[in-house]
């Protein structure tokens, strides 16, 4: 597995390209943007860091999608980012057009690729990518839970003073305000969160996780987060290109799992070189199930706005 293309050379796309080159996890990186010169300039800058930072992965920047042909993995970040006061759902009409047209072309140029979707609203854009590509569901994957879980780990570490490396979290559902941080499936060095945190603290952490993206947008004012989203994308990309068979939460097309059909939704999956190698169904209690269904309803609402019909 060797050629990775990143579509969209904005904040998220260029951060992912940086990870791809620095990690040395693939042989060739292509950064593409519709804006002439943007990806070329960023990649020139990136490869000039190579002799200094000791990386030497081949990379090109381009505004010609043909340069992405025969990619093994294509990461889609093209689209617009949100501004203060906007939800991810507010981006839907604009980004659906962009993702739909880009993925249609990408699928023709790289018919065997795995697609990793980053553009928001994430679950709906993953659905658009699945339908526009005609690819099997195993090869169209949305990044959400790795980022949300990373944010929750950060907040737990801030509250407890314990290393985030000891902290494991599980955040499922849609990548929106109704995402579902699963406290029961989160732990600190194997111990339940309740050993270290009060109910109030846990509730605060769950809320801050849900608003993690919006909190950053409020500070930035002109765009949204990119360091943690970029790191999350590369974590998933590495699981794929290195065939790690790692279990992570990801947005995938469900066909009856968790009682849901015809929707892309965040659930635990095993990632390897063929994409989603397995979907894992956790046992949920009534409250968790209700929360997941509420999250799915939000996505279905967004899909209805786009006139993407769902079962
Ligand atoms: N083809 C290629 N690139 C495109 C296209 C297209 N059809 N349309 C837009 N782009 C590019 C823009 O030119 C821009 O450079 O996508 C890039 C998006 O970059 P930013 O505006 O910096 O947005 P970014 O912060 O990277 O977020 C991208 O990821 O996390 C999500 O919500 C976020 O949907 C947003 C996406």
């Amino acid at each position: 597995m060797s050629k990775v293309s990143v579509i969209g050379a904005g904040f998220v796309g260029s951060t992912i390209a940086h990870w791809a080159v620095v990690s040395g996890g693939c042989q060739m990186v292509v950064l593409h943007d519709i804006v002439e010169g943007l990806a070329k300039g960023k990649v020139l800058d990136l490869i000039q860091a190579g002799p200094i930072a000791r990386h030497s992965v081949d990379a090109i920047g381009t505004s010609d999608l043909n340069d992405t042909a025969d990619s093994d993995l294509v990461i889609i970040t093209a689209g617009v980012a949100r501004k203060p006061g906007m939800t991810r759902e507010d981006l839907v009409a604009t980004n659906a057009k962009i993702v739909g047209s880009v993925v249609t072309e990408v699928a023709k140029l790289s018919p065997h690729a795995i697609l990793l979707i980053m553009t928001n609203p994430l679950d709906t854009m993953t659905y658009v990518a699945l339908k526009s590509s005609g690819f099997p569901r195993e090869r169209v994957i949305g990044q959400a839970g790795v980022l949300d879980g990373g944010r929750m780990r950060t907040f737990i570490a801030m509250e407890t003073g314990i290393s985030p490396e000891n902290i494991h979290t599980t955040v499922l559902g849609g990548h929106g305000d109704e995402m579902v941080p699963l406290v029961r499936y989160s732990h600190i060095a194997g111990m339940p969160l309740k050993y270290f945190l009060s109910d109030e603290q846990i509730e605060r952490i769950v809320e801050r996780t849900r608003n993690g993206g919006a909190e950053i947008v409020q500070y930035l004012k002109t765009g949204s987060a990119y360091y943690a989203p970029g790191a999350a994308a590369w974590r998933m990309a590495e699981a794929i290109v290195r065939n790690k068979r790692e279990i992570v939460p990801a947005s995938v097309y469900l066909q009856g799992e968790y009682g849901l059909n015809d929707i892309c939704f965040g659930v635990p999956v095993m990632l390897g070189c063929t994409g989603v190698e397995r979907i894992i169904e956790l046992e949920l209690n009534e409250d968790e199930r209700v929360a997941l269904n509420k999250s799915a309803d939000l996505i279905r609402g967004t899909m209805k706005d786009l006139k993407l019909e769902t079962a």
Side-chain angles (χ1 to χ4, degrees):
M1 174 79 72
S2 55
K3 180 169 174 179
V4 176
S5 292
V6 182
I7 313 298
F11 285 103
V12 176
S14 50
T15 306
I16 296 170
H18 186 241
W19 278 108
V21 166
V22 169
S23 76
C26 54
Q27 281 158 6
M28 173 76 184
V29 178
V30 179
L31 182 62
H32 169 274
D33 202 284
I34 197 165
V35 175
E36 187 70 39
L38 181 66
K40 237 182 201 142
K42 292 210 174 178
V43 168
L44 260 183
D45 188 16
L46 190 54
I47 57 177
Q48 287 163 14
I52 306 162
R54 296 195 190 91
H55 53 73
S56 56
V57 170
D58 272 348
I60 60 164
T62 182
S63 54
D64 181 355
L65 261 186
N66 288 310
D67 290 327
T68 69
D70 298 320
S71 292
D72 300 293
L73 173 65
V74 182
I75 306 176
I76 309 288
T77 79
V80 296
R82 59 184 169 150
K83 302 214 162 63
M86 287 173 93
T87 67
R88 294 179 181 92
E89 280 65 30
D90 292 334
L91 307 172
V92 71
T94 311
N95 284 353
K97 267 196 206 126
I98 295 173
V99 170
S101 65
V102 164
V103 167
T104 302
E105 288 312 304
V106 162
K108 285 185 209 148
L109 292 165
S110 298
H112 304 295
I114 291 169
L115 305 179
L116 178 58
I117 313 303
M118 297 296 293
T119 307
N120 278 309
L122 191 275
D123 306 277
T124 306
M125 292 307 107
T126 306
Y127 187 95
V128 168
L130 180 86
K131 298 296 173 189
S132 316
S133 64
F135 285 5
R137 68 171 179 163
E138 294 76 19
R139 291 200 281 124
V140 183
I141 308 162
Q143 185 294 126
V146 175
L147 168 63
D148 299 324
R151 285 182 170 145
M152 189 172 172
R153 288 171 69 191
T154 306
F155 300 141
I156 293 171
M158 285 161 73
E159 198 93 20
T160 59
I162 297 169
S163 164
E165 287 179 36
N166 274 149
I167 299 166
H168 175 85
T169 55
T170 301
V171 182
L172 303 187
H175 186 49
D177 296 346
E178 300 292 349
M179 70 179 72
V180 186
L182 282 179
V183 172
R184 226 161 46 88
Y185 284 101
S186 302
H187 60 82
I188 301 175
M191 289 167 271
L193 299 187
K194 285 193 171 184
Y195 277 42
F196 301 95
L197 294 159
S198 66
D199 287 347
E200 294 71 42
Q201 282 177 305
I202 292 174
E203 194 40 51
R204 200 162 55 229
I205 287 165
V206 164
E207 262 325 289
R208 196 168 176 195
T209 301
R210 287 206 175 107
N211 296 321
E215 188 180 351
I216 291 170
V217 171
Q218 262 176 357
Y219 284 119
L220 298 183
K221 298 202 166 56
T222 54
S224 51
Y226 50 98
Y227 287 123
W234 193 249
R235 171 87 180 262
M236 291 174 72
E238 270 208 316
I240 294 166
V241 295
R242 292 186 192 259
N243 192 25
K244 289 173 79 174
R245 312 189 86 218
E246 187 175 352
I247 294 174
V248 293
S251 185
V252 292
Y253 185 73
L254 298 184
Q255 293 173 306
E257 295 89 354
Y258 291 89
L260 297 169
N261 268 300
D262 197 32
I263 188 170
C264 289
F265 200 64
V267 295
V269 302
M270 186 168 79
L271 288 185
C273 65
T274 60
V276 174
E277 302 199 343
R278 195 173 147 192
I279 293 176
I280 292 141
E281 280 199 73
L282 297 175
E283 236 182 78
L284 300 178
N285 63 29
E286 187 53 25
D287 286 352
E288 292 161 345
R289 203 162 277 285
V290 167
L292 272 194
N293 284 334
K294 199 167 158 196
S295 184
D297 286 345
L298 182 68
I299 299 171
R300 287 196 201 287
T302 310
M303 290 169 74
K304 275 228 174 72
D305 291 347
L306 254 194
K307 308 219 173 2
L308 291 170
E309 223 23 85
T310 81

